[in-house]
Amino acid sequence: MSTPRAFRRLPRAVREQQMLDAAVRVFSRRGFHAASMDEIADEAGISKPMVYAYLGSKEELFTACLHREGVRLVEAIVGAVVPDLPFEERLWRGLRAFFRFVGAHRDGWAVLYRQARGERPFAGEVAAMRSRIIEVVAGMLARGLAAEGREVRPAELEVMAYALVGAAESVADWLADHPGADPDAMAGRMMDFAWTGAGDLLAGRLWRPPPGADPV
């Protein structure tokens, strides 16, 4: 009897976070359709009516989970990318923050990138979060190129940002399935992969097809 009384004394914001924590765990395991509000309530150690009262329907609850995890991810990356640092260090810090988030929030990653992306009602939430990350990366690229006295068309910057984010997402998905992997090591591998190309780009060295190949 002591546990429910202690739970009832918690502030509403704390209760909601506990419910969201439980919901993220259940949704990550079961997906949106297979997860039940009964299971989420059991996971949170509360009654199902309380879940409805605080966070609404299952669709509203799933949306709240997406929003929280997406905001956490974007804030982790933006907070790590200090504007005045050299581009190389900003890229490293951003990648490290990204992989550290995935390593620490594997259930949240599963909900964002595995459970939600194929569900039409929720795809917009994920797309908006991803667009924000791409904007951050494109901005880093633009500032890095400007510091080297080079200008690149916005469309080209966007393509480069999409390529970098897509590669990082693929590595993060692997990381999510390997709890023993080191997030910082994954960030280092991405730097090995990405910085070689980005460094050449900043220096004005572009790839060209070999002689006799189809032109670009």
Side-chain angles (χ1 to χ4, degrees):
M1 295 295 294
S2 61
T3 300
R5 285 199 298 270
F7 184 81
R8 282 195 294 271
R9 287 196 297 269
L10 292 174
R12 181 185 181 95
V14 176
R15 292 181 184 180
E16 288 182 352
Q17 291 307 309
Q18 289 184 341
M19 294 179 199
L20 288 173
D21 289 341
V24 166
R25 290 193 295 270
V26 174
F27 284 133
S28 72
R29 295 194 303 261
R30 309 276 287 164
F32 172 71
H33 293 292
S36 71
M37 295 296 270
D38 287 309
E39 187 176 1
I40 292 168
D42 288 343
E43 183 82 17
I46 59 174
S47 67
K48 184 167 70 172
M50 184 175 286
V51 178
Y52 281 111
Y54 274 75
L55 294 165
S57 67
K58 186 169 78 166
E59 182 171 319
E60 290 171 323
L61 176 56
F62 192 80
T63 300
C65 291
L66 289 179
H67 179 73
R68 188 189 73 168
E69 298 306 307
V71 168
R72 283 178 169 181
L73 174 56
V74 173
E75 287 181 347
I77 296 171
V78 172
V81 180
V82 180
D84 294 335
L85 293 174
F87 173 64
E88 180 179 1
E89 187 170 351
R90 277 182 282 143
L91 180 59
W92 158 247
R93 283 173 173 247
L95 286 170
R96 185 177 59 183
F98 175 66
F99 288 114
R100 283 182 176 181
F101 176 90
V102 175
H105 302 89
R106 285 179 165 83
D107 289 337
W109 174 262
V111 170
L112 283 170
Y113 275 81
R114 296 180 180 178
Q115 306 298 352
R117 296 181 79 173
E119 298 289 344
R120 183 170 297 179
F122 314 112
E125 187 81 23
V126 178
M129 177 205 66
R130 194 168 188 264
S131 294
R132 176 65 181 129
I133 294 174
I134 288 169
E135 286 176 8
V136 172
V137 174
M140 283 196 299
L141 289 168
R143 287 188 292 272
L145 288 164
E148 297 292 326
R150 300 194 62 236
E151 292 185 7
V152 177
R153 290 180 301 172
E156 292 183 11
L157 283 173
E158 186 177 19
V159 168
M160 287 185 281
Y162 266 95
L164 181 57
V165 170
E169 288 172 346
S170 296
V171 175
D173 221 29
W174 182 92
L175 173 64
D177 286 334
H178 296 80
D182 179 9
D184 286 5
M186 296 301 102
R189 290 181 182 178
M190 272 301 303
M191 285 297 293
D192 289 339
F193 174 78
W195 180 247
T196 301
D200 282 348
L201 180 65
L202 290 172
R205 294 188 292 271
L206 303 179
W207 179 84
R208 291 288 183 266
D214 291 337
V216 176

